[in-house]
Short mmCIF file of all heavy atoms in Angstrom, two decimals:
data_model
loop_
_atom_site.label_atom_id
_atom_site.label_comp_id
_atom_site.label_asym_id
_atom_site.label_seq_id
_atom_site.Cartn_x
_atom_site.Cartn_y
_atom_site.Cartn_z
N VAL A 19 28.84 2.01 29.91
CA VAL A 19 30.07 2.00 29.16
C VAL A 19 31.17 1.22 29.90
O VAL A 19 31.35 1.44 31.14
CB VAL A 19 30.60 3.51 28.98
CG1 VAL A 19 31.93 3.60 28.23
CG2 VAL A 19 29.50 4.35 28.37
N VAL A 20 31.83 0.36 29.13
CA VAL A 20 32.89 -0.43 29.83
C VAL A 20 34.13 -0.42 28.99
O VAL A 20 34.06 -0.10 27.80
CB VAL A 20 32.39 -1.97 30.02
CG1 VAL A 20 31.23 -2.06 30.91
CG2 VAL A 20 32.06 -2.50 28.62
N ALA A 21 35.25 -0.62 29.64
CA ALA A 21 36.58 -0.71 28.93
C ALA A 21 37.09 -2.16 28.84
O ALA A 21 37.00 -2.91 29.91
CB ALA A 21 37.56 0.18 29.56
N LEU A 22 37.48 -2.50 27.63
CA LEU A 22 37.89 -3.99 27.45
C LEU A 22 39.30 -4.03 26.88
O LEU A 22 39.44 -3.42 25.62
CB LEU A 22 36.95 -4.83 26.59
CG LEU A 22 35.50 -4.73 27.08
CD1 LEU A 22 34.65 -5.33 25.94
CD2 LEU A 22 35.27 -5.53 28.28
N PRO A 23 40.38 -4.48 27.45
CA PRO A 23 41.69 -4.50 26.97
C PRO A 23 41.56 -5.59 25.74
O PRO A 23 41.13 -6.54 25.83
CB PRO A 23 42.57 -4.92 28.08
CG PRO A 23 41.87 -4.74 29.32
CD PRO A 23 40.41 -4.83 28.93
N CYS A 24 42.30 -5.09 24.69
CA CYS A 24 42.39 -5.94 23.46
C CYS A 24 43.16 -7.21 23.79
O CYS A 24 42.84 -8.29 23.11
CB CYS A 24 42.93 -5.21 22.33
SG CYS A 24 41.75 -3.91 21.65
N ALA A 25 44.25 -7.04 24.57
CA ALA A 25 45.03 -8.30 24.79
C ALA A 25 44.23 -9.35 25.51
O ALA A 25 44.43 -10.49 25.21
CB ALA A 25 46.22 -7.79 25.72
N TRP A 26 43.36 -8.93 26.44
CA TRP A 26 42.49 -9.86 27.22
C TRP A 26 41.52 -10.46 26.26
O TRP A 26 41.22 -11.66 26.32
CB TRP A 26 41.90 -9.28 28.42
CG TRP A 26 42.85 -8.87 29.41
CD1 TRP A 26 44.20 -8.97 29.42
CD2 TRP A 26 42.49 -8.31 30.68
NE1 TRP A 26 44.68 -8.51 30.58
CE2 TRP A 26 43.76 -8.08 31.42
CE3 TRP A 26 41.34 -7.86 31.36
CZ2 TRP A 26 43.74 -7.47 32.75
CZ3 TRP A 26 41.47 -7.27 32.61
CH2 TRP A 26 42.65 -7.06 33.27
N LEU A 27 40.95 -9.66 25.38
CA LEU A 27 39.96 -10.11 24.40
C LEU A 27 40.61 -11.17 23.48
O LEU A 27 39.97 -12.19 23.07
CB LEU A 27 39.36 -8.93 23.59
CG LEU A 27 38.34 -7.97 24.37
CD1 LEU A 27 38.00 -6.90 23.49
CD2 LEU A 27 37.19 -8.67 24.87
N ARG A 46 31.03 -13.71 27.79
CA ARG A 46 32.19 -13.97 28.56
C ARG A 46 33.15 -12.79 28.50
O ARG A 46 34.13 -12.74 29.23
CB ARG A 46 32.91 -15.18 27.82
CG ARG A 46 32.06 -16.49 27.93
CD ARG A 46 32.84 -17.60 27.50
NE ARG A 46 34.06 -17.87 28.12
CZ ARG A 46 34.92 -18.93 27.93
NH1 ARG A 46 34.62 -19.68 26.93
NH2 ARG A 46 35.96 -19.13 28.67
N ALA A 47 32.82 -11.77 27.65
CA ALA A 47 33.69 -10.53 27.62
C ALA A 47 33.50 -9.83 28.87
O ALA A 47 34.33 -8.84 29.21
CB ALA A 47 33.20 -9.70 26.46
N ARG A 48 32.40 -10.13 29.75
CA ARG A 48 32.30 -9.32 30.95
C ARG A 48 33.53 -9.64 31.98
O ARG A 48 33.95 -8.84 32.79
CB ARG A 48 31.10 -9.87 31.77
CG ARG A 48 29.80 -9.71 30.92
CD ARG A 48 28.51 -10.13 31.66
NE ARG A 48 28.31 -9.36 32.83
CZ ARG A 48 27.09 -9.32 33.43
NH1 ARG A 48 26.05 -10.14 33.01
NH2 ARG A 48 26.93 -8.72 34.51
N ASP A 49 34.27 -10.69 31.70
CA ASP A 49 35.40 -11.05 32.49
C ASP A 49 36.64 -10.40 32.14
O ASP A 49 37.76 -10.50 32.65
CB ASP A 49 35.63 -12.68 32.50
CG ASP A 49 34.40 -13.45 32.97
OD1 ASP A 49 33.72 -12.96 33.94
OD2 ASP A 49 34.28 -14.62 32.55
N CYS A 50 36.58 -9.71 30.92
CA CYS A 50 37.73 -8.98 30.42
C CYS A 50 37.74 -7.58 30.69
O CYS A 50 38.44 -6.75 30.13
CB CYS A 50 37.77 -9.18 28.95
SG CYS A 50 38.13 -10.83 28.37
N ARG A 51 36.79 -7.15 31.59
CA ARG A 51 36.67 -5.63 31.81
C ARG A 51 38.01 -5.12 32.63
O ARG A 51 38.42 -5.95 33.56
CB ARG A 51 35.48 -5.35 32.70
CG ARG A 51 34.12 -5.52 31.92
CD ARG A 51 33.01 -5.13 32.82
NE ARG A 51 32.80 -5.92 34.04
CZ ARG A 51 33.20 -5.50 35.21
NH1 ARG A 51 33.60 -4.20 35.51
NH2 ARG A 51 33.08 -6.23 36.33
N CYS A 52 38.31 -3.93 32.28
CA CYS A 52 39.36 -3.11 33.13
C CYS A 52 38.83 -1.86 33.65
O CYS A 52 39.47 -0.95 33.88
CB CYS A 52 40.49 -2.94 32.24
SG CYS A 52 40.36 -1.89 30.86
N SER A 53 37.45 -1.86 33.70
CA SER A 53 36.76 -0.66 34.38
C SER A 53 35.52 -1.16 34.89
O SER A 53 34.92 -2.26 34.65
CB SER A 53 36.47 0.35 33.18
OG SER A 53 35.41 -0.15 32.47
N PRO A 54 34.91 -0.43 35.78
CA PRO A 54 33.57 -0.64 36.38
C PRO A 54 32.50 -0.32 35.29
O PRO A 54 32.74 0.17 34.30
CB PRO A 54 33.42 0.30 37.52
CG PRO A 54 34.34 1.50 37.24
CD PRO A 54 35.44 0.90 36.41
N TYR A 55 31.25 -0.80 35.55
CA TYR A 55 30.18 -0.42 34.77
C TYR A 55 29.71 1.04 35.00
O TYR A 55 29.41 1.45 35.99
CB TYR A 55 28.91 -1.32 35.05
CG TYR A 55 29.18 -2.74 34.63
CD1 TYR A 55 29.41 -3.74 35.63
CD2 TYR A 55 29.14 -3.28 33.34
CE1 TYR A 55 29.60 -5.05 35.43
CE2 TYR A 55 29.39 -4.61 33.00
CZ TYR A 55 29.63 -5.44 34.06
OH TYR A 55 29.79 -6.73 33.75
N VAL A 56 29.92 1.81 33.96
CA VAL A 56 29.63 3.29 34.17
C VAL A 56 28.27 3.53 33.33
O VAL A 56 28.21 3.37 32.19
CB VAL A 56 30.72 4.16 33.48
CG1 VAL A 56 30.25 5.61 33.70
CG2 VAL A 56 32.04 3.79 34.19
N MET A 66 32.58 9.76 32.59
CA MET A 66 33.98 9.32 32.96
C MET A 66 34.14 7.90 33.20
O MET A 66 33.37 7.32 34.01
CB MET A 66 34.40 10.25 34.20
CG MET A 66 34.28 11.63 34.05
SD MET A 66 35.59 12.29 33.04
CE MET A 66 37.04 11.92 33.90
N VAL A 67 35.08 7.26 32.60
CA VAL A 67 35.34 5.89 32.66
C VAL A 67 36.72 5.66 33.30
O VAL A 67 37.81 5.77 32.79
CB VAL A 67 35.30 5.04 31.27
CG1 VAL A 67 35.42 3.57 31.44
CG2 VAL A 67 33.98 5.41 30.62
N PRO A 68 36.80 5.36 34.68
CA PRO A 68 38.14 5.13 35.30
C PRO A 68 38.52 3.72 34.96
O PRO A 68 37.80 2.76 34.77
CB PRO A 68 37.64 5.15 36.84
CG PRO A 68 36.27 4.83 36.85
CD PRO A 68 35.63 5.35 35.63
N LEU A 69 39.90 3.63 34.80
CA LEU A 69 40.51 2.34 34.25
C LEU A 69 41.25 1.73 35.47
O LEU A 69 42.01 2.38 36.06
CB LEU A 69 41.50 2.50 33.12
CG LEU A 69 40.90 3.19 31.84
CD1 LEU A 69 41.95 3.36 30.81
CD2 LEU A 69 39.71 2.35 31.37
N ASP A 70 41.12 0.41 35.65
CA ASP A 70 41.83 -0.32 36.69
C ASP A 70 43.14 -0.78 36.05
O ASP A 70 43.18 -1.05 34.82
CB ASP A 70 40.95 -1.53 37.12
CG ASP A 70 39.74 -1.21 37.73
OD1 ASP A 70 39.54 -0.15 38.28
OD2 ASP A 70 38.80 -1.97 37.65
N ASN A 71 44.16 -0.82 36.83
CA ASN A 71 45.53 -1.14 36.32
C ASN A 71 45.90 -2.53 36.87
O ASN A 71 47.11 -2.89 37.05
CB ASN A 71 46.60 -0.11 36.64
CG ASN A 71 46.68 0.06 38.09
OD1 ASN A 71 45.91 -0.56 39.03
ND2 ASN A 71 47.78 0.84 38.63
N TYR A 72 44.95 -3.30 37.13
CA TYR A 72 45.15 -4.77 37.68
C TYR A 72 45.90 -5.58 36.60
O TYR A 72 45.27 -5.80 35.53
CB TYR A 72 43.87 -5.41 38.22
CG TYR A 72 44.13 -6.85 38.64
CD1 TYR A 72 44.67 -7.04 39.83
CD2 TYR A 72 43.66 -7.89 37.74
CE1 TYR A 72 44.93 -8.41 40.21
CE2 TYR A 72 43.84 -9.22 38.16
CZ TYR A 72 44.56 -9.46 39.48
OH TYR A 72 44.68 -10.78 39.90
N ASP A 73 47.16 -5.89 36.77
CA ASP A 73 47.90 -6.77 35.80
C ASP A 73 48.02 -6.20 34.47
O ASP A 73 48.01 -6.86 33.56
CB ASP A 73 47.15 -8.13 35.80
CG ASP A 73 48.16 -9.22 35.26
OD1 ASP A 73 49.44 -9.01 35.35
OD2 ASP A 73 47.69 -10.21 34.58
N LEU A 74 47.96 -4.79 34.43
CA LEU A 74 48.18 -4.16 33.22
C LEU A 74 49.36 -3.17 33.35
O LEU A 74 49.34 -2.25 34.24
CB LEU A 74 46.91 -3.42 32.78
CG LEU A 74 45.81 -4.28 32.42
CD1 LEU A 74 44.50 -3.36 32.10
CD2 LEU A 74 46.02 -4.98 31.03
N TYR A 75 50.36 -3.42 32.46
CA TYR A 75 51.50 -2.60 32.56
C TYR A 75 52.00 -2.09 31.13
O TYR A 75 51.77 -2.88 30.22
CB TYR A 75 52.80 -3.31 33.24
CG TYR A 75 52.31 -3.85 34.60
CD1 TYR A 75 52.03 -5.19 34.84
CD2 TYR A 75 52.45 -3.01 35.82
CE1 TYR A 75 51.69 -5.69 36.10
CE2 TYR A 75 52.16 -3.48 37.00
CZ TYR A 75 51.65 -4.84 37.15
OH TYR A 75 51.38 -5.21 38.43
N GLY A 76 52.56 -0.87 31.04
CA GLY A 76 53.01 -0.44 29.77
C GLY A 76 51.89 0.02 28.82
O GLY A 76 50.80 0.44 29.29
N LEU A 77 52.09 -0.04 27.59
CA LEU A 77 51.13 0.47 26.62
C LEU A 77 50.15 -0.66 26.31
O LEU A 77 50.52 -1.82 26.04
CB LEU A 77 51.79 0.98 25.30
CG LEU A 77 52.71 2.19 25.46
CD1 LEU A 77 53.41 2.46 24.12
CD2 LEU A 77 51.90 3.35 25.90
N HIS A 78 48.84 -0.19 26.21
CA HIS A 78 47.77 -1.15 25.93
C HIS A 78 46.69 -0.49 25.07
O HIS A 78 46.50 0.67 25.11
CB HIS A 78 47.06 -1.66 27.18
CG HIS A 78 47.85 -2.77 27.89
ND1 HIS A 78 47.74 -4.18 27.56
CD2 HIS A 78 48.85 -2.67 28.82
CE1 HIS A 78 48.60 -4.84 28.32
NE2 HIS A 78 49.17 -4.00 29.09
N THR A 79 46.12 -1.32 24.18
CA THR A 79 44.86 -0.86 23.50
C THR A 79 43.69 -1.20 24.15
O THR A 79 43.39 -2.36 24.47
CB THR A 79 44.92 -1.40 22.05
OG1 THR A 79 46.13 -0.97 21.38
CG2 THR A 79 43.75 -0.93 21.19
N VAL A 80 42.83 -0.27 24.48
CA VAL A 80 41.57 -0.59 25.26
C VAL A 80 40.42 -0.32 24.44
O VAL A 80 40.45 0.75 23.64
CB VAL A 80 41.57 0.25 26.53
CG1 VAL A 80 40.15 0.08 27.25
CG2 VAL A 80 42.66 -0.03 27.45
N LEU A 81 39.40 -1.17 24.37
CA LEU A 81 38.22 -1.03 23.57
C LEU A 81 37.17 -0.43 24.49
O LEU A 81 36.80 -1.10 25.46
CB LEU A 81 37.82 -2.28 22.95
CG LEU A 81 36.66 -2.41 21.99
CD1 LEU A 81 36.92 -3.47 20.95
CD2 LEU A 81 35.42 -2.65 22.70
N LEU A 82 36.67 0.68 24.05
CA LEU A 82 35.48 1.29 24.81
C LEU A 82 34.18 0.84 24.18
O LEU A 82 34.07 1.15 22.96
CB LEU A 82 35.60 2.78 25.02
CG LEU A 82 36.79 3.39 25.87
CD1 LEU A 82 36.70 4.87 25.80
CD2 LEU A 82 36.69 2.92 27.16
N SER A 83 33.25 0.27 24.93
CA SER A 83 32.04 -0.22 24.25
C SER A 83 30.80 0.13 25.15
O SER A 83 30.89 0.19 26.29
CB SER A 83 32.10 -1.71 24.06
OG SER A 83 30.87 -2.15 23.52
N TRP A 96 24.18 -9.45 28.35
CA TRP A 96 25.27 -8.72 27.76
C TRP A 96 25.06 -8.52 26.23
O TRP A 96 25.12 -9.31 25.44
CB TRP A 96 26.64 -9.36 27.96
CG TRP A 96 27.89 -8.74 27.44
CD1 TRP A 96 28.21 -8.80 26.13
CD2 TRP A 96 28.68 -7.79 28.03
NE1 TRP A 96 29.42 -8.11 25.86
CE2 TRP A 96 29.74 -7.46 27.11
CE3 TRP A 96 28.79 -7.43 29.41
CZ2 TRP A 96 30.80 -6.67 27.33
CZ3 TRP A 96 29.83 -6.45 29.63
CH2 TRP A 96 30.84 -6.10 28.62
N CYS A 103 35.05 1.92 20.38
CA CYS A 103 36.08 2.93 20.17
C CYS A 103 37.39 2.40 20.73
O CYS A 103 37.42 1.84 21.94
CB CYS A 103 35.73 4.27 20.90
SG CYS A 103 36.90 5.63 20.75
N VAL A 105 41.23 2.98 22.08
CA VAL A 105 42.03 3.93 22.85
C VAL A 105 43.40 3.36 23.24
O VAL A 105 43.37 2.27 23.79
CB VAL A 105 41.26 4.39 24.12
CG1 VAL A 105 42.12 5.62 24.75
CG2 VAL A 105 39.96 4.90 23.72
N ARG A 106 44.36 4.10 23.04
CA ARG A 106 45.74 3.66 23.56
C ARG A 106 46.01 4.25 24.87
O ARG A 106 45.87 5.40 25.12
CB ARG A 106 46.88 4.13 22.56
CG ARG A 106 46.77 3.53 21.21
CD ARG A 106 47.28 2.08 21.13
NE ARG A 106 48.72 1.98 21.42
CZ ARG A 106 49.25 0.87 21.71
NH1 ARG A 106 48.60 -0.25 21.84
NH2 ARG A 106 50.63 0.82 21.90
N VAL A 107 46.24 3.38 25.80
CA VAL A 107 46.48 3.67 27.23
C VAL A 107 47.81 3.33 27.66
O VAL A 107 48.36 2.20 27.49
CB VAL A 107 45.37 3.07 28.13
CG1 VAL A 107 45.60 3.33 29.62
CG2 VAL A 107 43.97 3.39 27.68
N ALA A 108 48.50 4.25 28.32
CA ALA A 108 49.90 4.05 28.96
C ALA A 108 49.77 3.62 30.47
O ALA A 108 49.45 4.60 31.29
CB ALA A 108 50.83 5.23 28.61
N TYR A 109 49.94 2.40 30.79
CA TYR A 109 50.00 2.07 32.21
C TYR A 109 51.41 2.14 32.74
O TYR A 109 52.36 1.98 31.96
CB TYR A 109 49.39 0.59 32.32
CG TYR A 109 47.85 0.55 32.24
CD1 TYR A 109 47.34 0.12 30.94
CD2 TYR A 109 47.02 0.69 33.22
CE1 TYR A 109 46.02 0.14 30.83
CE2 TYR A 109 45.71 0.60 33.16
CZ TYR A 109 45.18 0.27 31.86
OH TYR A 109 43.88 0.16 31.69
#
Side-chain angles (χ1 to χ4, degrees):
V19 181
V20 295
L22 306 171
C24 289
W26 293 2
L27 290 175
R46 298 185 62 178
R48 299 180 70 165
D49 300 331
C50 297
R51 290 182 302 107
C52 64
S53 71
Y55 295 104
V56 179
M66 298 293 296
V67 182
L69 301 179
D70 300 331
N71 60 350
Y72 176 75
D73 199 25
L74 291 173
Y75 303 99
L77 295 175
H78 280 276
T79 302
V80 176
L81 186 148
L82 295 178
S83 178
W96 175 273
C103 177
V105 181
R106 293 289 287 168
V107 179
Y109 286 94

